[in-house]
Amino acid sequence: MSQFLSNCTASALADAAANLLAGSLVAFPTETVYGLGADACNADAVAQIYSVKGRPSDHPLIVHVASVDALNDWADEIPEYAISLARDFWPGPMTLVVRRSALAQDFLTGGQDTVGVRVPSHPVALGLLEAFAKAGGKGVAAPSANRFGNVSPTTAQAVLKELGAYLSDKDQVLDGGACEIGVESTIIDCTGVAPLILRPGAITSEMIFQSTGPVLEGNVSSPSVNRLEIRVSGSLESHYAPTAKVVLDRAPIAGEGFIAMADIATGEDVVRLAAPTSHQDFARVLYSALRSADEAGLSTVVVMQPLGDGIAIAIRDRLKRSSGGR
């Protein structure tokens, strides 16, 4: 077992929470992907996240908290529709971007007047956050536990392979198994008159509409909606990329990797990396399949994108950015 890898007993989670408060980093599973966590109120610890990831300092981090009630610590203004979203979808794969309170400092928000907050549903993540709150912590800043722009990890082993050389002896990786959803949380801007989806995920526009009514989609900025220009995780044109070149929606040739729904045949001498049977399965295995392409030394991965709505929209978003390369 790696020196960084830890089990997920109650005592281990309490130890990890104490380590966070002491300024160390703890990578942990969420239902979406693994996150690299630090005490969100500790500037030096947060700086370590940026250093380990090679992440630009103006790229904001998401604060993970143990309960809906903790949103009040981080937000200065919370519209009613944001409260409705939190009640309906937390714990779960949704991040709310709100106008920040004094607790959210520039080192966390990339200098913006907003902060992203979420309550994950993975039992290990919730156990860690609850232990952290019990020990006096306010929240854990946690982007995905990978080098900036690379494929997000969905297992502890992927975290170790990606970041093991950058972690200190005091840092930890909590092994909670493979992530259930496999793509990052839906990010919703809650600074205007209606929710605006900034990054699609498992919480879809249809689900949000059922909770709040009308939903804005795309990059909306106009006085009529009083909308801020907000930078969020995963918003760059090139992101989520393996070393291999990702090519979308064409027939693969011999020697190339291939990811497509199970009913799409594999050509002769094509390396099949994944054959999901549903859109949920596609999301769950996508990143591990992209990583396996690099492990196999492939130069090109062809992906036939899933059609339709729901989480397929999030899959296509990630693949479009992945195809932009590193």
Side-chain angles (χ1 to χ4, degrees):
M1 177 179 289
S2 166
Q3 62 173 324
F4 301 113
L5 204 60
S6 300
N7 59 22
C8 297
T9 63
S11 61
L13 294 179
D15 289 343
N19 288 337
L20 285 169
L21 282 171
S24 296
L25 303 183
V26 176
F28 60 94
T30 75
E31 68 279 15
T32 57
V33 299
Y34 272 70
L36 181 64
D39 182 350
C41 296
N42 185 329
D44 290 338
V46 170
Q48 279 299 107
I49 288 179
Y50 284 97
S51 176
V52 167
K53 283 181 60 70
R55 185 183 179 97
S57 60
D58 66 347
H59 216 56
L61 302 180
I62 294 170
V63 179
H64 293 63
V65 295
S67 71
V68 173
D69 293 340
L71 181 61
N72 291 309
D73 293 332
W74 295 95
D76 184 45
E77 300 174 15
I78 309 175
E80 284 297 320
Y81 68 80
I83 295 172
S84 177
L85 289 169
R87 287 173 176 165
D88 287 345
F89 302 118
W90 278 351
M94 176 186 72
T95 296
L96 300 182
V97 175
V98 291
R99 296 178 190 272
R100 72 180 191 180
S101 72
L103 188 62
Q105 296 294 301
D106 284 348
F107 64 78
L108 188 70
T109 69
Q112 298 183 120
D113 292 330
T114 57
V115 64
V117 183
R118 97 171 179 103
V119 182
S121 62
H122 194 290
V124 172
L126 274 180
L128 175 63
L129 293 168
E130 288 166 357
F132 186 69
K134 186 176 180 180
K138 289 291 188 179
V140 174
S144 55
N146 57 287
R147 295 287 287 174
F148 184 71
N150 292 4
V151 178
S152 299
T154 54
T155 65
Q157 290 69 33
V159 175
L160 291 171
K161 185 170 290 188
E162 180 98 359
L163 297 182
Y166 301 91
L167 298 174
S168 78
D169 291 342
K170 296 181 179 180
D171 298 331
Q172 291 176 266
V173 178
L174 296 174
D175 187 355
C179 298
E180 178 184 0
I181 293 175
V183 295
E184 299 79 1
S185 63
T186 304
I187 299 180
I188 305 171
D189 174 4
C190 296
T191 65
V193 296
L196 168 65
I197 298 174
L198 300 179
R199 181 178 72 184
I203 304 301
T204 65
S205 59
E206 292 81 8
M207 296 165 69
I208 297 167
F209 178 81
Q210 291 297 319
S211 175
T212 68
V215 183
L216 302 173
E217 296 187 69
N219 194 8
V220 175
S221 178
S222 74
S224 64
V225 294
N226 190 29
R227 186 67 64 184
L228 301 174
E229 290 283 359
I230 297 174
R231 299 185 306 278
V232 295
S233 297
S235 59
L236 300 180
E237 290 186 8
S238 297
H239 215 75
Y240 313 111
T243 301
K245 179 177 177 59
V246 176
V247 178
L248 304 178
D249 300 329
R250 71 155 169 81
I253 61 176
E256 293 182 334
F258 189 41
I259 302 170
M261 295 294 290
D263 60 353
I264 299 177
T266 306
E268 185 176 357
D269 295 326
V270 169
V271 181
R272 190 67 180 233
L273 299 171
T277 57
S278 68
H279 290 173
Q280 287 72 24
D281 190 29
F282 203 122
R284 186 164 45 250
V285 303
L286 174 60
Y287 289 159
S288 60
L290 291 176
R291 285 181 174 276
S292 68
D294 287 345
E295 292 168 1
L298 301 178
S299 61
T300 303
V301 178
V302 176
V303 186
M304 296 297 292
Q305 300 184 93
L307 303 176
D309 297 330
I311 202 168
I313 294 173
I315 295 169
R316 294 194 298 271
D317 171 80
R318 305 308 191 271
L319 285 170
K320 178 182 178 182
R321 300 177 196 280
S322 179
S323 66
R326 291 188 177 176

